[in-house]
Amino acid sequence: MSDHQTAQPDVTAFSGAVVQCLHPDGSPAEVLLEERIELPTPAGVLVPQYESEDPRRQRVQPVELHPGGGLKAVSLQEKAVIETPSGAMAAERVTFHPGGELRRVFPLDGKISAYWSVENETALAGPQRMETPIGVVTARIISVHFFPSGVLRSVTLWPGERVTIATPQGPARVSVGFSFHESGALRSFEPDAPFEAKTPVGTVLAFETDPEGGMAADLNSLQFDESGNVTALTTATDKVVVTCNAVAEAGPDAWPACCPDCARWAAATGKSVRQPGRLALGPGFRESLCGTTPTDLVPLRMGFTDDAVSLDGHVFSRAGHGFSVLRGLMPVARTTYSC
């Protein structure tokens, strides 16, 4: 049993515990507490929420359980400092893995409503000091996520928060968050500005105009393997020119049938090209449904393996194609919405 795991308490045995719903196997899924209890957990002794006293929390959150009874999530009556594998942290909500290990820590657990705004909640979001595999980081955060082993999995930053972290390709300014492999190697981060990433096809400006942050930054747009090689990124500015080697031997009239990868691209897109065997793939545009401009930019998503390059899901073998990068062809701006 690790330092951040302990025997699972039977929440239903406490006075004032009311089972609200069940899992399909018949075990309790949610338990509402009607009076104050001190609950022993892998994060220490916690007092689950049992009454709502301010506009931030319009209702009492039940204690959530995994099938079989192990703790899944606890919202606290009041903010408390708990011990985590990354050091002491303030918490209003904590979650646990099925084995009992600490999973996520949320410093704040307010509910945005007509009575409590994002600005109100942001005013309460103080900085947290965290020990990470790449050094100490201090920032306002939404949550931290741990593997069952206790290794830090990800840090999700508060909206608008920015930090500078060490990466396999030098310091980077980060928004949204960053994540790790269980070995401790950096797995991904969200660049706050176009970042010059060295890839198997050349240097590409990595930048996502509409990052999918939310409640977890477990996997961000610029990704690395455990050796520090780029495995995936998103670019809002650059194009990649793919040159088919088979055309040189088969002739332009034989393209795309002479190359399985190019034939799949042609069949999937239905597009024609000016020069057979030469594709220039990059960001595009789509109609904006809720933006401040008529169209939204759609970045190019790239992936890399030892054998192939993926461009927006279209796979081209590295042995059968040449690749070059056309840099900085598009202006860069975050996507903004009016609704």
Side-chain angles (χ1 to χ4, degrees), residues 224-239:
F224 304 87
D225 63 19
E226 293 185 83
S227 298
N229 303 305
V230 173
T231 58
L233 64 78
T234 298
T235 180
T237 61
D238 299 356
K239 288 187 176 182

Side-chain angles (χ1 to χ4, degrees), residues 17 24 35 63 124 182 215 269:
E35 58 187 64
V63 174
L124 300 178
E182 196 163 6
M215 294 301 288
T269 65

Side-chain angles (χ1 to χ4, degrees), residues 5-10 40-42 66 69-72 96-101:
Q5 183 178 7
T6 188
Q8 295 290 288
D10 181 2
T41 79
H66 289 290
L71 287 175
K72 181 178 181 181
F96 303 93
H97 290 283
E101 307 89 351

Side-chain angles (χ1 to χ4, degrees), residues 20-89:
Q20 288 196 305
C21 61
L22 304 175
H23 287 292
D25 65 1
S27 62
E30 295 183 354
V31 179
L32 191 68
L33 296 170
E34 297 181 330
E35 58 187 64
R36 187 183 189 279
I37 69 167
E38 293 186 354
L39 186 66
T41 79
V45 176
L46 304 178
V47 178
Q49 189 186 8
Y50 63 96
E51 62 181 14
S52 181
E53 297 180 341
D54 60 59
R56 292 183 64 230
R57 310 173 91 173
Q58 286 81 46
R59 68 185 184 90
V60 176
Q61 296 280 18
V63 174
E64 298 177 40
L65 305 176
H66 289 290
L71 287 175
K72 181 178 181 181
V74 179
S75 288
L76 309 187
Q77 178 64 29
E78 296 178 350
K79 183 180 293 186
V81 176
I82 66 171
E83 288 298 324
T84 81
S86 290
M89 298 187 67

Side-chain angles (χ1 to χ4, degrees), residues 65-269:
L65 305 176
H66 289 290
L71 287 175
K72 181 178 181 181
V74 179
S75 288
L76 309 187
Q77 178 64 29
E78 296 178 350
K79 183 180 293 186
V81 176
I82 66 171
E83 288 298 324
T84 81
S86 290
M89 298 187 67
E92 287 190 342
R93 180 174 172 84
V94 293
T95 70
F96 303 93
H97 290 283
E101 307 89 351
L102 185 63
R103 184 176 185 182
R104 293 188 192 273
V105 177
F106 298 85
L108 294 177
D109 188 34
K111 304 296 182 290
I112 305 305
S113 69
Y115 306 99
W116 191 258
S117 68
V118 172
E119 291 74 20
N120 294 141
E121 191 77 351
T122 298
L124 300 178
Q128 300 282 327
R129 184 184 185 277
M130 298 158 286
E131 297 175 7
T132 80
I134 54 175
V136 174
V137 174
T138 301
R140 296 180 302 167
I141 62 170
I142 291 177
S143 68
V144 294
H145 188 186
F146 299 98
F147 289 102
S149 62
V151 174
L152 182 63
R153 180 173 178 178
S154 69
V155 175
T156 303
L157 299 175
W158 195 263
E161 188 76 345
R162 304 290 186 269
V163 297
T164 298
I165 65 170
T167 82
Q169 298 194 4
R173 190 73 170 165
V174 175
S175 65
V176 180
F178 49 96
S179 67
F180 299 93
H181 295 279
E182 196 163 6
S183 65
L186 188 70
R187 184 184 184 190
S188 70
F189 71 89
E190 202 60 60
D192 183 47
F195 181 86
E196 291 192 347
K198 298 176 179 63
T199 79
V201 301
T203 299
V204 179
L205 288 175
F207 185 69
E208 169 62 87
T209 56
D210 189 18
E212 298 179 358
M215 294 301 288
D218 291 341
L219 192 61
N220 305 285
S221 66
L222 181 50
Q223 302 168 26
F224 304 87
D225 63 19
E226 293 185 83
S227 298
N229 303 305
V230 173
T231 58
L233 64 78
T234 298
T235 180
T237 61
D238 299 356
K239 288 187 176 182
V240 177
V241 176
V242 182
T243 304
C244 180
N245 297 339
V247 172
E249 181 177 344
D253 292 340
W255 189 89
C258 62
C259 171
D261 295 340
C262 293
R264 282 191 290 269
W265 174 87
T269 65

